[in-house]
Amino acid sequence: MITKYIYITTVIIILTMFIGCGSDSSVSPPVPVITPTPTATPTAISGPPMVSIPGGTFNMGSTVGTTEQPVHSVTVSSFYMGTHEVTNSHYVLFLNSQGNQTEGGAEWISIGANQYQGITGGPGAGTFSLLSGYENHPVAYVSWYGAVAYCNWLSTQQGLTPCYGPINDRGDDPSVWRTRNGYRLPTEAEWEYACRAGSTADYYWGESSPNPEHIGDYAWYESNSNGNHSIVCQKLPNSFGLYDMSGNMGEWCSDWYSSSTLNPPAYYSVSPGTNPTGPASGSDRVLRGGSWYLGASYCRSAVRYGCDPSGRFYDFGFRPVRN
């Protein structure tokens, strides 16, 4: 398995060289919004709440990290996105329906007795339960396969057409999953567009590197997380009404990861200007959004990294989207 943060290391090095580049500190943080904690007892039919994201054009990337260059104009179509990351309460319903199956050489979710895991039991269907107090924490230790399996299951629950193929044959043709009405993972471009929510600053609330003054109002990250993920929707949302886009959990995207040397070289710099979907193949999948484990610099909207799709870590989660 490729080391978890092999690509983030480059970001750290370049960050120290280009602090403050590509920022827009004139944008003021939005007015605080108080939102109730999500229900701890969701139904399979309802799924996680969604926000309508209007289509538009934005400048994707930044001049801070080498894997984020070049900054390029991208247009995305409208879509729906999960208001918050999928929680243990939502994911346990899926596990109790489908069990914890093996795909890509690993189980969909790693179940272990530690402070990061809020689900116990398994591996068979109907054997999983929630740990008290973790109901509304984001689910952790989920692989990319475990995320798309959940998306297909939720689509079926709601009578929608699944976007991915069956287990061990998920498919890589975006002309298929881009046109279906079921749940899926966001493309890397959709994720950054939704995260920025109109902001051109390094951080979506309008602040620039290296020391965003109000980061603690918007993100759970290394300095304020107390060494673990937190209940979703406790920080302020972005202008689209999305919570925890920067921090709490790194989030899987649909795309194969591409940098100047990987999967195949330089897709990011030559990607289509409208609804880019990533390389046709690769070895790693994209993750976005920083996490409770990482420092403030990883909460920037343009930070990108990748991992083997079977990777399962204490700060890997996801949120679904729909066309």
Side-chain angles (χ1 to χ4, degrees), residues 13-269:
I13 296 172
I14 302 301
L15 180 62
T16 62
M17 299 170 58
F18 292 89
I19 286 174
C21 295
S23 65
D24 181 4
S25 58
S26 65
V27 182
S28 300
V31 176
V33 176
I34 299 175
T35 299
T37 298
T39 175
T41 56
T43 65
I45 293 297
S46 66
M50 309 287 281
V51 170
S52 177
I53 308 297
T57 301
F58 75 112
N59 287 328
M60 184 174 179
S62 82
T63 58
V64 176
T66 55
T67 63
E68 303 159 19
Q69 300 180 36
V71 177
H72 53 293
S73 178
V74 173
T75 299
V76 297
S77 302
S78 58
F79 59 99
Y80 294 96
M81 190 175 211
T83 303
H84 56 75
E85 293 150 345
V86 171
T87 64
N88 290 313
S89 291
H90 287 106
Y91 204 77
V92 76
L93 295 173
F94 159 70
L95 290 175
N96 276 327
S97 172
Q98 302 297 303
N100 191 13
Q101 300 184 46
T102 297
E103 187 170 5
E107 290 180 321
W108 285 333
I109 181 173
S110 177
I111 302 292
N114 58 49
Q115 69 268 36
Y116 314 114
Q117 181 56 268
I119 298 175
T120 63
T127 64
F128 296 89
S129 60
L130 292 166
L131 288 177
S132 178
Y134 281 78
E135 294 89 349
N136 292 317
H137 281 244
V139 65
Y141 290 111
V142 177
S143 71
W144 184 90
Y145 297 110
V148 301
Y150 171 89
C151 289
N152 269 9
W153 170 81
L154 186 59
S155 298
T156 301
Q157 292 293 305
Q158 297 190 8
L160 304 173
T161 303
C163 291
Y164 303 98
I167 187 170
N168 296 315
D169 187 21
R170 298 303 181 182
D172 288 313
D173 186 356
S175 67
V176 175
W177 56 255
R178 283 285 306 179
T179 59
R180 292 179 174 176
N181 65 357
Y183 291 90
R184 58 179 175 83
L185 297 179
T187 66
E188 183 175 14
E190 288 172 335
W191 192 98
E192 185 173 328
Y193 175 76
C195 178
R196 288 185 178 279
S199 173
T200 59
D202 293 341
Y203 299 87
Y204 64 71
W205 51 92
E207 295 181 323
S208 59
S209 302
N211 298 308
E213 180 181 359
H214 297 92
I215 187 172
D217 295 333
Y218 294 88
W220 295 109
Y221 68 112
E222 181 186 25
S223 295
N224 69 354
S225 66
N226 294 316
N228 204 350
H229 44 68
S230 297
I231 292 173
V232 299
C233 299
Q234 298 303 293
K235 297 296 185 178
L236 299 180
N238 70 5
S239 295
F240 281 155
L242 300 169
Y243 293 82
D244 299 321
M245 290 295 286
S246 292
N248 217 7
M249 302 294 281
E251 300 179 9
W252 288 109
C253 293
S254 281
D255 310 35
W256 288 110
Y257 180 83
S258 173
S259 68
S260 60
T261 59
L262 186 72
N263 289 356
Y267 173 89
Y268 192 78
S269 65

